[in-house]
Amino acid sequence: LAARLTYTGAPESIQGAVAAGLLGAGNHFLGTMQLSAQLLQDTVAKLGADAGDAEFDACATALVREHRSTKRIVPGIGHPIHVNGDPRVPALRQLAAECGFAGRHWRLASAIERAAQAEYGKLLPLNAAGAVGASVSDMGLEPLWARGFALIGRSAGLVAHLIDEKRSPLGQKLWDLVLAQDDSAELAGHDNP
């Protein structure tokens, strides 16, 4: 939306519109990949090199319980749409395995998914952010790389949105809709947000 609205106001500045779209990439959008990678790396570092399934499972259970007790979301699991499993995860897992990057961090991510299901009594599937976090971690990269890769992908997606905006403008309609809502609130005696 930010990219489309910026393009509406400055169609000569596609870079400005892409930049506006990227500015919303914080810990809730795209940054979750970095948070997941950091969590996986910090946790795997506590496990011995010879840790078996029982140690991974116990560590994952403790992590999920600690997050639940402090009402924090475990980055990398759950999805508002893909409640029965994120369809991107198997493809990312397969690609990581084919490239030799499905190691201890992927193992922990799977254990976290199982522990969350046991703790919450429902499936909270590993999501794409968790899969990317595991892959980046098994590649031996810093967690910041996960967010960086997400920004690259988002940049390409924003360019596609802007091409669509040029062909089928939505920005002005959105702007008009917001202004109409703002005017309605003012007429009803409410303060403007």
Side-chain angles (χ1 to χ4, degrees):
L1 292 173
R4 284 177 182 264
L5 288 171
T6 302
Y7 181 81
T8 298
E12 74 285 357
S13 180
I14 191 171
Q15 71 278 8
V18 170
L22 291 176
L23 290 174
N27 285 349
H28 293 284
F29 296 106
L30 305 182
T32 307
M33 294 176 187
Q34 179 183 354
L35 298 176
S36 175
Q38 188 69 60
L39 177 74
L40 293 169
Q41 289 182 26
D42 290 347
T43 306
V44 163
K46 298 174 189 173
L47 293 165
D50 60 345
D53 289 343
E55 288 89 355
F56 273 84
D57 288 340
C59 190
T61 298
L63 185 145
V64 168
R65 286 182 178 162
E66 192 265 329
H67 275 74
R68 187 176 189 191
S69 72
T70 57
K71 297 182 180 357
R72 290 182 295 144
I73 294 171
V74 178
I77 62 168
H79 197 282
I81 297 169
H82 305 301
V83 294
N84 294 317
D86 189 329
R88 301 166 292 184
V89 171
L92 290 166
R93 185 187 311 262
Q94 180 180 345
L95 184 60
E98 288 171 3
C99 294
F101 298 116
R104 293 167 54 87
H105 299 93
W106 265 103
R107 192 172 168 192
L108 178 61
S110 296
I112 290 170
E113 180 181 49
R114 290 190 304 273
Q117 184 170 5
E119 182 67 22
Y120 289 94
K122 65 179 181 178
L123 179 63
L124 291 172
L126 186 64
N127 58 37
V132 170
S135 296
V136 164
S137 297
D138 280 335
M139 292 170 77
L141 299 173
E142 294 287 326
L144 185 60
W145 278 100
R147 190 181 300 226
F149 291 144
L151 291 170
I152 292 167
R154 179 58 59 94
S155 295
L158 289 168
V159 170
H161 278 287
L162 296 173
I163 290 169
D164 183 62
E165 182 65 24
K166 183 177 181 184
R167 291 181 184 153
S168 302
L170 245 178
Q172 188 63 52
K173 293 173 191 170
L174 293 170
W175 181 260
D176 293 344
L177 180 64
V178 169
L179 285 180
Q181 293 297 318
D182 192 42
D183 289 344
S184 294
E186 191 174 321
L187 289 173
H190 296 99
D191 290 334
N192 291 332

